Amino acid sequence: MRGRADGGQNKHLVPSLCLMALILGFLFLYYGSFFGSRGQHTSSALEYGSRFSRSIGWSNDDSGEVGKSDESIIELDDGDGSLVPKSFPICDDRHSELIPCLDRNLISQTRLKLDLSLMEHYERHCPQPERRFNCLIPPPLAYKIPIKWPKSRDEVWRVNIPHTHLAHEKSDQNWMVVKGDKIAFPGGGTHFHYGADKYIASLANMLNFTNNNLNNEGRIRTILDVGCGVASFGGYLLSSNIIAMSLAPNDVHQNQIQFALERGIPAYLGVLGTKRLPYPSRSFELAHCSRCRIDWLQRDGILLLELDRLLRPGGYFAYSSPEAYAQDEEDLRIWRTMSALVERMCWKIAAKRNQTVIWVKPLTNDCYMNRAPGTRPPLCRSDDDSDAIWGVPMEACITPYSEQNHRDKGSGLAPWPARLTTPPPRLADFGISSETFDKDMEIWQERVESYWSLLSPKIRPNTLRNLMDMKANMGSFAAALRDKDVWVMNVVPEDGPNTLKIVYDRGLIGTMHDWCEAFSTYPRTYDLLHAWTVFTDIEKKGCSAEDLLLEMDRILRPTGFIIFRDRRPIIEFIKKFLTALQWESVAVVDAEPNSDSEDGEMVFIIQKKMWLVDDGLKDSA
């Protein structure tokens, strides 16, 4: 009996192996080609995504298994024989706010051993390719096109971010108030219940700035707001020509950054944990913490030293906290310890009033050089690159100034707005001349004017607010938009020249990123993405183009736009995914009209359709 049974198994084994080979061949054809070939990062996880998805053209049976409908989601492209999806699955609506690299469910499932006391669970932990969601993130039910700036500073649609716990938890602090179908933002904060505008004026008054204006005649332009809440502080700074990077983790106050971006206020998900923040040294004129619940004394003051790295010569740290007025024994202990620490860091008290103290950094290295031998915290090693920031651990050391900063007794930057177009001193770090800088500005001015001409049939003056330049170089795309009522998140690739310090020196803001991974933001937070040769770059790295297209769709608002500027073969490749992604073509032109090159750059603009999931896909574009 055993012999006959074994023989029967062998008879069934051959067709099984043939079927498996056929399936593997299909998977290789579908996933193994990006302009001919792709590398190790390309395994888009359709299996993982579909376990949590409700798909276009797919349906779930009663057992919960994903079954294929009569219409295939794969079609054979006529051109080169490659397989292109007709549609992508729709993620389950439980994932409408998914941030792949800040997903606490992923941390739990993969059993990462993280030190909660060091906030490691709020740092980036990206899924492996086989665990990525290969599906479109749906908007919340009844989602509406966001309210336009500047009205959005003060109110948003409740259905877009259906979370009201902060309104109840912070009801005595005027963070936000539910008003019918909207959520209103009175401008309050943990420390400034009566309005951010009054609080900002009081900070300027403490520093004796002209007209109680915190911009100090253009000398203060970039601010880091740590633990920003819903970013009312940053929102009210904008009218003073100050731009703040509002920073908070996706913690127990989750959705605070989502509210900020929905309002049209610059913001980023991040945490002072174990890694450096993704900003170069000497990026900010002022750092701010209003009861931000950070233990500044931990680990030899390492978090305070990270702020020190980010502040420019003569930069300020405004700290509003009970410790600043020391009402009880514990507050007094913290105040004394913190005062001793910042004194050893060569900070001085610039002003102190009620619950707020403002410290100021020295302008030169003189104080550092005059400290007693062995004083802690020590100076950082001479070979430490203070601008290395992507995944680099923090160090409990003081970052001294460059010889030029020390000699100039400051950063040498022009006041705003001249700063935007004045060649900054740190151009020399890249061997870039002033003439090259000016030419770059001229080129991008022309390109942006061309973009706006192509977009003009689709946009009005207030259509766009939150913009991202996915490969910002020196920030000239953003600089060319200075007359538009928009802000730009300037992203510099982690494997290229760290020109992010040029971006900040121009009075702009941004971050560093690897586009083989998901960006640290909520879904539906940008109105326009500008992708200049980004796909050419990830092709060289062997990353998945499909994954990046899905990521761009995730962070793009419904009815938002993407401007692709890349080689012709890449533009033709992206065109094939329009139907699957629910995108519409707006314009496609040669980037250089007089160029005859078949591989030359093209400009391709798309608009994301407005679609909602309600027992299936409803296209309401």
Side-chain angles (χ1 to χ4, degrees):
M1 293 293 292
R2 178 176 296 179
R4 281 196 295 270
D6 291 343
Q9 288 178 356
N10 289 333
K11 288 179 182 179
H12 292 293
L13 183 60
V14 173
S16 297
L17 288 174
C18 292
L19 179 60
M20 183 176 295
L22 185 62
I23 293 171
L24 289 173
F26 169 79
L27 291 174
F28 176 79
L29 283 172
Y30 181 52
Y31 290 114
S33 173
F34 168 37
F35 310 129
S37 64
R38 287 186 292 168
Q40 60 184 356
H41 298 285
T42 61
S43 302
S44 299
L46 180 61
E47 298 82 9
Y48 185 61
S50 62
R51 283 203 300 272
F52 298 91
S53 67
R54 178 168 59 249
S55 63
I56 311 171
W58 287 50
S59 61
N60 289 355
D61 61 22
D62 293 337
S63 67
E65 294 294 322
V66 178
K68 190 177 180 183
S69 70
D70 293 337
E71 182 183 5
S72 172
I73 67 165
I74 301 294
E75 65 180 359
L76 188 66
D77 183 75
D78 295 334
D80 56 10
S82 61
L83 293 166
V84 178
K86 286 182 180 177
S87 56
F88 283 109
I90 302 297
C91 298
D92 189 284
D93 53 18
R94 290 173 296 171
H95 304 285
S96 68
E97 293 168 355
L98 175 70
I99 311 167
C101 294
L102 297 172
D103 183 7
R104 276 171 285 178
N105 290 327
L106 174 71
I107 292 174
S108 175
Q109 292 164 11
T110 52
R111 295 184 172 87
L112 293 178
K113 296 181 179 178
L114 304 175
D115 191 329
L116 305 188
S117 68
L118 301 184
M119 310 294 279
E120 285 185 307
H121 52 308
Y122 294 138
E123 295 182 323
R124 288 174 57 84
H125 302 283
C126 296
Q128 293 299 312
E130 65 273 9
R131 297 188 67 89
R132 291 177 184 169
F133 285 79
N134 188 24
C135 49
L136 298 175
I137 302 293
L141 295 176
Y143 177 87
K144 296 183 179 183
I145 300 300
I147 295 170
K148 303 304 182 184
W149 183 267
K151 192 176 180 181
S152 64
R153 188 195 72 172
D154 301 324
E155 61 180 22
V156 301
W157 294 117
R158 181 178 178 179
V159 293
N160 288 9
I161 310 179
H163 302 284
T164 59
H165 61 281
L166 281 176
H168 303 296
E169 184 179 342
K170 302 291 185 179
S171 60
D172 62 329
Q173 299 172 13
N174 283 323
W175 278 31
M176 47 190 275
V177 179
V178 177
K179 291 187 175 181
D181 60 354
K182 295 177 180 176
I183 295 175
F185 300 89
T190 304
H191 184 70
F192 41 91
H193 307 172
Y194 301 107
D197 52 348
K198 296 181 179 62
Y199 173 68
I200 291 167
S202 72
L203 294 179
N205 181 264
M206 290 173 66
L207 293 169
N208 295 317
F209 289 167
T210 304
N211 298 324
N212 292 339
N213 192 330
L214 194 60
N215 77 7
N216 192 25
E217 299 179 334
R219 295 181 183 87
I220 291 186
R221 165 62 182 174
T222 53
I223 285 180
L224 177 66
D225 187 18
V226 180
C228 64
V230 294
S232 288
F233 180 73
Y236 279 82
L237 284 170
L238 290 165
S239 61
S240 298
N241 283 322
I242 296 174
I243 189 164
M245 178 64 81
S246 296
L247 182 80
N250 187 29
D251 60 6
V252 293
H253 290 158
Q254 58 184 302
N255 306 109
Q256 52 191 334
I257 291 298
Q258 190 178 21
F259 279 118
L261 290 164
E262 182 75 8
R263 298 172 69 185
I265 300 171
Y268 184 81
L269 276 163
V271 66
L272 281 163
T274 66
K275 303 291 196 324
R276 285 178 173 176
L277 293 177
Y279 318 119
S281 66
R282 308 192 300 280
S283 291
F284 301 96
E285 275 89 37
L286 187 146
H288 175 253
C289 160
S290 173
R291 298 197 185 183
C292 54
R293 301 188 307 153
I294 292 175
D295 178 8
W296 296 108
L297 299 178
Q298 63 174 284
R299 292 177 283 159
D300 300 318
I302 193 170
L303 305 185
L304 207 57
L305 289 160
E306 173 64 0
L307 285 192
D308 184 82
R309 181 184 71 85
L310 297 175
L311 285 174
R312 301 195 197 276
Y316 299 97
F317 177 43
Y319 180 56
S320 296
S321 176
E323 294 89 23
Y325 64 96
Q327 286 189 332
D328 58 36
E329 186 174 334
E330 178 61 15
D331 286 336
L332 185 59
R333 183 194 67 80
I334 294 173
W335 172 253
R336 286 173 174 168
T337 307
M338 193 167 177
S339 297
L341 171 62
V342 298
E343 184 178 354
R344 296 194 302 272
M345 291 167 54
C346 293
W347 290 11
K348 304 292 184 183
I349 291 180
K352 187 173 184 291
R353 182 186 299 168
N354 300 327
Q355 297 182 31
T356 301
V357 60
I358 303 176
W359 283 289
V360 60
K361 276 186 67 174
L363 287 169
T364 69
N365 290 326
D366 289 343
C367 177
Y368 306 142
M369 299 298 103
N370 292 330
R371 297 188 313 162
T375 299
R376 301 190 66 83
L379 295 182
C380 296
R381 301 183 313 275
S382 58
D383 62 349
D384 176 68
D385 182 0
S386 59
D387 296 325
I389 50 180
W390 187 248
V392 176
M394 292 181 191
E395 292 192 42
C397 59
I398 298 171
T399 304
Y401 300 132
S402 66
E403 289 185 10
Q404 180 172 338
N405 285 152
H406 175 72
R407 184 175 59 253
D408 294 345
K409 296 184 178 181
S411 58
L413 299 177
W416 180 267
R419 181 181 301 186
L420 184 66
T421 53
T422 302
R426 287 200 276 190
L427 279 178
D429 294 357
F430 304 93
I432 298 174
S433 67
S434 297
E435 292 74 19
T436 300
F437 176 86
D438 292 338
K439 182 63 176 177
D440 186 71
M441 184 69 241
E442 180 183 329
I443 289 171
W444 281 105
Q445 186 70 50
E446 294 175 357
R447 290 177 175 179
V448 166
E449 289 174 1
S450 174
Y451 293 159
W452 245 247
S453 177
L454 294 170
L455 284 166
S456 59
K458 291 280 188 177
I459 63 172
R460 296 178 180 177
N462 66 349
T463 299
L464 306 176
R465 173 61 184 172
N466 302 350
L467 277 60
M468 176 188 285
D469 190 359
M470 298 174 66
K471 185 181 176 183
N473 193 26
M474 291 188 288
S476 292
F477 169 82
L481 291 164
R482 58 185 176 273
D483 295 330
K484 310 290 185 184
D485 204 1
V486 302
W487 68 272
V488 181
M489 179 67 78
N490 293 277
V491 181
V492 172
E494 51 80 30
D495 60 345
N498 189 358
T499 53
L500 193 57
K501 54 189 174 182
I502 303 300
V503 169
Y504 274 93
D505 284 356
R506 300 182 73 173
L508 305 168
I509 62 169
T511 187
M512 186 171 279
H513 188 62
D514 178 358
W515 285 114
C516 294
E517 301 176 357
F519 193 76
S520 292
T521 194
Y522 282 89
R524 302 172 300 280
T525 51
Y526 286 91
D527 297 304
L528 184 145
L529 308 176
H530 177 241
W532 171 48
T533 67
V534 173
F535 282 80
T536 286
D537 293 341
I538 68 162
E539 178 188 6
K540 294 174 183 175
K541 295 174 68 172
C543 303
S544 167
E546 290 93 332
D547 281 352
L548 181 53
L549 287 170
L550 285 165
E551 171 63 5
M552 294 170 78
D553 184 82
R554 182 185 74 86
I555 67 179
L556 187 66
R557 285 173 166 174
T559 72
F561 300 88
I562 302 177
I563 302 173
F564 297 96
R565 188 184 191 96
D566 219 314
R567 295 183 296 115
R568 184 181 299 273
I570 291 177
I571 298 301
E572 294 302 324
F573 174 84
I574 293 170
K575 286 181 181 179
K576 299 173 184 177
F577 288 83
L578 292 185
T579 300
L581 290 163
Q582 298 293 308
W583 293 354
E584 288 184 332
S585 174
V586 173
V588 55
V589 298
D590 289 329
E592 307 296 337
N594 298 324
S595 174
D596 296 327
S597 172
E598 294 184 0
D599 203 30
E601 277 191 359
M602 297 186 71
V603 173
F604 180 38
I605 302 178
I606 66 92
Q607 184 175 24
K608 178 178 177 178
K609 292 182 181 180
M610 173 66 183
W611 56 264
L612 299 175
V613 177
D614 184 13
D615 298 325
L617 181 71
K618 290 184 179 179
D619 184 357
S620 54

